[in-house]
Structure formats: C-alpha cells, structure tokens
Amino acid sequence: MSASLAILGRLLRQVKPLSGWMLLAICAGLATIICGIGLMTLSAYLISVAAQHPSLSALAVTMLGVRIFGVVRGVVRYIERLISHDLTFRLLARFRVWFYRALEPLVPARLLSTEGSLSTTNYTSGDLLSRLVADVEMLQEFYVRVISPPVIALIIGAGMYFILGAYNVRFALVLLAFMLLGGLIIPMALYWMSRKLGQRLIMARAALNTSLVDSIQGVADLLIFDRQHEQLQRTLQLNRQLIRYQALQAAIDGLREGLDIMLSDGCAWAMLIVAIPLVRTGQLNGIYLALIILAALSSFEAIRPLANAAQQLGNSLAAARRLFMVVDEPPPVRDPEAPAPTLDHYDIQVRHLSFRYQAQEADVIKDLDFQVEQGHCLAIVGPSGAGKSTLANLLVRFWEYERGSIRLGGHELHEFQQQDIHRYIGVVEQHPHLFNGTIRENLLLGCPDATQEQIEHAARQAMLHDFIQELPDGYETRIGEQGVKLSGGERQRLTIARVILKDAPVLILDEATAHLDTVSEQSILEALRTFMRGRTTIIITHRLVGLEYADEILVMRAGRIIERGLHHELLQIEGLYWHLWTQQQQVLQTERW
C-alpha cells in the first residue's frame, strides 16, 4: 500500500506545472453536473406545476431556467472535455519526453541485455516500446478519469446533502447512504478486484509486444530454420493469455455498469419510499416529489465515474510502476556539475585501468597501461573476449571506471560530461545502427549543419559517393529500418562517412572494416589513413590488415596486454600476434584463390 501511495504521489506531482488547467477542468466538470441537476430539477418542477394549470407567466422564469441550463450544460461539457483532454495529452507528451530522456543516460550499461550488463534486469526492445507507448497511454485514464471525479463527487455530494436536507433530513441521509455505497465501498471493491488483474494485463501486453518485435526482427532466421510455426504458437499463446485478462476486465466493467444502474435506481426508489408518507401527512408539498427524486437521480452523475476511476487506478499504478522501474535505475555514469575543461590537445593516457561489470565478477580489463599522442595511431588486437570493445565503451563513458585512470588532453574523463566526450570522439562501431530515413539524414547525424559539398566529400572518402549517385533518388534514397536496403559493406561505408563528416579530434575504429571485402578494405584503410592525420586514433580489430602503419600495437588476451610494439617487432617475437597474423594470411590466400 505504501508503494502504491508513493507512486500515486509521483503521478500527482506531474500535474503541478499544469495545476491551473487541472483546476479549470474540474470547475468545468463541476459546472456540467450542476447544470444537469438544475435541468432535471427545474424540468420536474415545471411539469409538476404545469399539471395544476397555472398562468403561462407563472411558468416563464422556470421555462427560461430550463433553457439556460440545457444550453449551458452542452457548452460547459464541451469546455470540460476540451480542457481535460488537452491537459492529458500535454501530460502524456511530457511523460514520453521525460521517459526517453531518462533512458539516454542508462544506455547501454543498464538497459541492453548483453553479456556483462550492469543491470540485474534485462530490457528488450519490445518491452521498452511497450512502456514508452502502451504504459504511457494507460496514464491517460489516470489524468482523465481518476483525478477530477473524486473532487467533483465530494463537492456535489456535500451540496446535495444540504439541499435535500433542507426539505427533510431523511432525504439527505438516504442520499448519503447511497453515495457512500456507490462512491466509496463499491469503488474500493472494484479496485481490489482489478488491482492484480491490471498488473497482469499490462505484463501480458508487454510480453506480447516483445514477442511480436522479436518475431518481426528475426523473421528471416525463423523462415530459414523452419521455426516460424513454433514462434507463431508462442505468440498465439501470449495473445490468448492477454485475451483472457481482457475478458476478465470486461466482466468487471459489466459488473460496474450494472451496479451503477442499480444504485441510482435504488436511490430513486428509496427517495420515493421516504417521500410518499411525507406527502400524505402534508410535511412535503407534492409539487416537490418529482423534483427531489430527479435531483437525487441526476446527482449520481458525479458518483458514477468513481467506480471506473477506482478500476482504472489499479491499471494506472501498474503502468506507472513499470515506467518508474526504468527511470529509477541509477545511471552508471555521473556527470560532474563543474563545466568541462577546455582542451588544447587530445592525447589519451590510460594508467593501471581495471574494470569489472559487477562486483562479484572477475575483471574483464586488468591493469591496462598505454598512451596515444595526438596525431598517432594505436592498434588494439586480440581474440574475441579479450576486452577490446569494453575498453572502447570506457573511453566514450558508456560505463564508469573506478580503478585506474583515463585522461583526455591531460584531464581525467570523470571531469567531462558524457556529451562533451561524445563531441570529442568519433566512433565507427562493428554493428552500427542506421535509422529508417534517407542516406542524407543518416549522414547528417555526424554534422547536422553540413553542406552538400561536405556530405559528398565525406562520402567520397568512404568510397560511397559513386554508389549513391547510381541510385534513382541519390542522397534522398530511403535505406529502410537499420539500413536493410543496403548491403553490409554499404552500411559500414555509410557509418565511416558519417564519422568523417563529424570531424572529431579523436577517432575510435571498432572493427571498422569488418563487413568489407579485401579490395574495399584496403581502399577504405587508405582513405582513413589520410583522414587520421593529426587525430588521436585507436583501432580495435581482430583483422590484422594495415597495422604496419600503426605507431604502436597492443595485443590483448583475457583483459591483459600481453604484447606491445610495432608490426615488424611483434612478428619477430613470434607470439600471439604472429600466430593471429599467420592464420589470417592463410585465410587471405584462400580468399584470393
């Protein structure tokens, strides 16, 4: 219960910047119900008085009141819906932006379900998409149907209690009893019934979304291995589970609507039973009989939403809990409050660096020690699992190191904010992400203000321009999700062109030529050597091609540097580097044949 109250408090605090609009929406909703009560009571009074055949002038004021309440009710209802939905959509937009901004500092250390992730919880793409879309959308019910109704019901209930009590206290007590039943007891029961169901419903929807995203992303592999039927059955099972929960939710909805009708009708009958003896004994003028009953009946318009509000509260809290679960993950990297230092050179110094993903695990990087001066090139090679890519992630501050030192331009990386580091460093990854847009849009990620001439120059350096020119739409060609319309080599060249366009003073090439053929690889490396002049460059690779131009080569195994030197020096000692190079030469000879 305390956890639910804490989440409720956090949701309510989100309304604070827009509290004025929320108050206006509540006032409009209150005015709508007041007009409805006024319309019903004046209509009942008009019909009762008209049955006694008075003069038309005696009914003029009442008839005017009916017309006014009828017109004003429609206007204020429209205003209330307009304000409340506009407010809700503004809040949902703020939630989406807030959630996305909270995601950025968590990537990749606390979100990606990769080996060595710092997070004990693995989040998949489908699950995060479900949180960002479906869970945020669920909060619409909270802000539209949960906040305003209790406030409006409390004001209307108190007002009607005193108004009906003015006729007879028994009317007020009957109304109070039915309002407590419909506005407190039944909503609490429905909340208890739907609380766990709401959590299961949201989790089932998230699981189905995850399965669908996995199926779509891996459909080619499913077809190749003829496993599409098994995946379809798993998805259908998740879908059936979701339908079961939705059916239970619909049953509770039906129960709620039935109870609403029974309560309002029961209140009318109870009022009638109390009123008839009072009319017979002359304690109540018969003209007011229909007025009192319809006043009580119409006041239930304020009570009726409470049961739905309680039911939606459970779903909203479950959705909010999933959102806060991600947002409350502590960021692995803490940006300093002080402004970043100004750099006049871009040397990289690593001293006694050790790193492990979790405290109980072994180090994946062990006592690394090296230096790369500006304008020099350092190559880091070794078998898979040696810790090369982990080192690259530490250099760009995707993870935080605690033991050892990494300095850029003479300043510890801890002194820089992440965005400053990312501005100084350009990275070519082994598995780059390309967005579902045009070639130009993907290139402009490197430099949003780049001119067409600069774009084409970068594409030429990456040996991509001629290919683009052959496309019907040129640089405006859409490449599909993750660049699916391009080959692996074309995607890699596009990524290299993007980094060239960024023109950062530090360059990290993580398997930059992994998807290129031998001829293209040599050409790209030649272009990159020209681009690397004057920059601090770190090449991370398992392909020992073009490393004779490196100023130093580090050979890693199991997180340690076991060899270091120039290309010809490492070949002479006939260690691991020589062994890897010999194997690769045999493969290259086979490729040539």
Side-chain angles (χ1 to χ4, degrees):
M1 179 61 71
S2 59
S4 297
L5 290 176
I7 293 174
L8 182 62
R10 294 180 69 173
L11 288 176
L12 291 175
R13 284 194 291 274
Q14 295 292 327
V15 188
K16 189 174 181 180
L18 300 173
S19 56
W21 288 100
M22 178 60 73
L23 181 61
L24 190 59
I26 292 174
C27 291
L30 187 62
T32 301
I33 295 178
I34 290 174
C35 287
I37 295 172
L39 177 63
M40 294 292 285
T41 54
L42 284 184
S43 298
Y45 178 77
L46 179 62
I47 293 172
S48 299
V49 172
Q52 299 180 358
H53 305 289
S55 63
L56 190 60
S57 60
L59 301 175
V61 175
T62 306
M63 293 171 62
L64 179 63
V66 170
R67 292 174 180 175
I68 291 174
F69 277 126
V71 173
V72 173
R73 173 180 166 80
V75 173
V76 293
R77 171 63 76 187
Y78 172 77
I79 293 174
E80 184 268 334
R81 291 295 172 86
L82 179 64
I83 295 174
S84 62
H85 282 81
D86 180 72
L87 172 64
T88 299
F89 294 144
R90 288 174 184 268
L91 286 169
L92 294 186
R94 287 164 57 92
F95 253 106
R96 291 190 183 98
V97 174
W98 162 78
F99 185 74
Y100 180 78
R101 285 178 175 171
L103 281 178
E104 285 186 340
L106 302 180
V107 176
R110 297 212 182 273
L111 292 186
L112 302 185
S113 54
T114 55
E115 182 181 358
S117 174
L118 291 177
S119 179
T120 56
T121 304
N122 291 333
Y123 300 100
T124 64
S125 301
D127 180 60
L128 288 175
L129 181 63
S130 179
R131 293 172 196 255
L132 186 59
V133 178
D135 291 352
V136 171
E137 197 71 25
M138 181 64 69
L139 296 182
Q140 173 180 342
E141 301 296 329
F142 176 81
Y143 290 111
V144 171
R145 306 182 191 278
V146 177
I147 296 181
S148 299
V151 178
I152 294 173
L154 185 62
I155 296 173
I156 294 295
M160 292 304 298
Y161 177 86
F162 289 109
I163 290 173
L164 294 182
Y167 289 96
N168 191 287
V169 70
R170 281 177 282 183
F171 294 136
L173 293 176
V174 169
L175 180 67
L176 179 62
F178 276 90
M179 281 192 165
L180 287 175
L181 185 61
L184 185 61
I185 296 175
I186 290 179
M188 289 180 64
L190 289 174
Y191 171 75
W192 181 82
M193 292 172 62
S194 61
R195 178 171 55 90
K196 292 185 178 180
L197 176 60
Q199 295 176 4
R200 293 170 183 167
L201 181 64
I202 289 174
M203 295 300 293
R205 184 184 294 116
L208 180 59
N209 287 342
T210 299
S211 178
L212 289 173
V213 171
D214 286 343
S215 299
I216 293 171
Q217 291 179 341
V219 64
D221 294 301
L222 291 173
L223 292 173
I224 289 172
F225 291 100
D226 194 26
R227 290 294 179 267
Q228 65 272 22
H229 301 294
E230 289 87 341
Q231 183 67 14
L232 176 61
Q233 290 304 314
R234 283 193 291 269
T235 303
L236 288 176
Q237 183 179 357
L238 292 172
N239 187 53
R240 286 191 292 269
Q241 186 181 43
L242 177 61
I243 290 174
R244 284 198 299 271
Y245 292 145
Q246 289 176 331
L248 290 174
Q249 186 81 47
I252 296 176
D253 290 342
L255 176 64
R256 170 178 53 79
E257 292 177 3
L259 290 175
D260 285 343
I261 296 173
M262 288 178 59
L263 277 176
S264 57
D265 291 350
C267 183
W269 278 103
M271 287 289 185
L272 188 62
I273 292 171
V274 171
I276 289 176
L278 296 178
V279 173
R280 284 179 178 176
T281 59
Q283 299 179 54
L284 178 69
N285 192 330
I287 294 176
Y288 299 116
L289 178 63
L291 182 151
I292 290 172
I293 294 174
L294 289 181
L297 193 62
S298 59
S299 66
F300 263 80
E301 183 181 359
I303 301 300
R304 194 169 292 116
L306 293 182
N308 187 35
Q311 187 177 345
Q312 296 298 335
L313 178 61
N315 297 343
S316 299
L317 291 179
R321 187 177 292 109
R322 280 169 44 82
L323 293 174
F324 291 137
M325 185 186 302
V326 176
V327 172
D328 291 341
E329 284 273 7
V333 176
R334 296 284 185 180
D335 283 335
E337 296 182 0
T342 303
L343 300 182
D344 55 9
H345 63 94
Y346 301 96
D347 296 352
I348 292 178
Q349 294 178 333
V350 175
R351 295 288 180 263
H352 305 295
L353 179 65
S354 297
F355 177 76
R356 64 180 66 177
Y357 289 106
Q358 296 188 31
Q360 67 274 17
E361 296 181 354
D363 288 344
V364 293
I365 287 180
K366 305 169 184 176
D367 199 27
L368 295 191
D369 204 296
F370 63 85
Q371 178 172 339
V372 191
E373 296 181 358
Q374 182 173 343
H376 286 209
C377 173
L378 172 73
I380 302 176
V381 303
S384 298
K388 305 185 301 295
S389 295
T390 298
L391 176 60
N393 286 323
L394 291 174
L395 291 173
V396 295
R397 292 206 76 195
F398 278 164
W399 284 288
E400 192 72 280
Y401 61 94
E402 296 179 355
R403 291 173 293 160
S405 170
I406 303 178
R407 289 180 172 270
L408 174 62
H411 297 274
E412 196 71 33
L413 281 195
H414 296 309
E415 301 178 28
F416 296 89
Q417 296 187 355
Q418 286 179 281
Q419 61 182 8
D420 296 319
I421 293 295
H422 300 161
R423 187 168 60 248
Y424 291 135
I425 299 178
V427 181
V428 178
E429 298 179 282
Q430 182 178 1
H431 302 289
H433 181 84
L434 297 178
F435 290 87
N436 185 14
T438 65
I439 292 176
R440 179 190 303 277
E441 289 169 346
N442 276 274
L443 287 173
L444 288 176
L445 286 176
C447 180
D449 300 325
T451 64
Q452 180 63 26
E453 182 180 356
Q454 291 172 322
I455 291 174
E456 292 183 4
H457 177 70
R460 284 192 180 94
Q461 285 188 283
M463 295 182 59
L464 191 65
H465 179 71
D466 292 341
F467 162 75
I468 296 174
Q469 292 297 96
E470 294 175 358
L471 299 173
D473 296 324
Y475 283 88
E476 303 305 324
T477 301
R478 302 192 68 84
I479 61 175
E481 187 176 1
Q482 296 184 0
V484 68
K485 296 181 180 180
L486 303 178
S487 69
E490 289 159 357
R491 288 196 293 267
Q492 199 70 8
R493 286 196 290 267
L494 179 55
T495 305
I496 292 171
R498 189 162 63 188
V499 171
I500 291 174
L501 194 61
K502 183 177 181 179
D503 197 24
V506 179
L507 188 61
I508 297 177
L509 306 177
D510 187 0
E511 305 288 1
T513 60
H515 302 287
L516 301 177
D517 58 79
T518 304
V519 176
S520 297
E521 183 178 35
Q522 292 290 349
S523 301
I524 288 291
L525 288 174
E526 186 64 34
L528 283 174
R529 276 194 289 271
T530 302
F531 178 70
M532 289 177 340
R533 291 172 185 167
R535 304 176 196 278
T536 306
T537 305
I538 296 178
I539 299 175
I540 297 173
T541 183
H542 69 279
R543 291 175 60 86
L544 311 184
V545 177
L547 298 188
E548 59 271 15
Y549 297 98
D551 296 292
E552 186 179 20
I553 301 173
L554 305 182
V555 184
M556 292 185 62
R557 182 168 59 188
R560 294 184 182 276
I561 298 174
I562 61 171
E563 298 174 11
R564 63 197 312 159
L566 298 175
H567 173 71
H568 67 276
E569 294 172 346
L570 293 173
L571 291 180
Q572 290 174 357
I573 63 176
E574 296 188 1
L576 177 60
Y577 183 85
W578 174 84
H579 179 71
L580 295 173
W581 184 84
T582 302
Q583 286 185 329
Q584 183 169 294
Q585 292 305 304
Q586 294 173 353
V587 173
L588 291 177
Q589 289 294 334
T590 303
E591 289 180 356
R592 292 191 184 99
W593 284 103

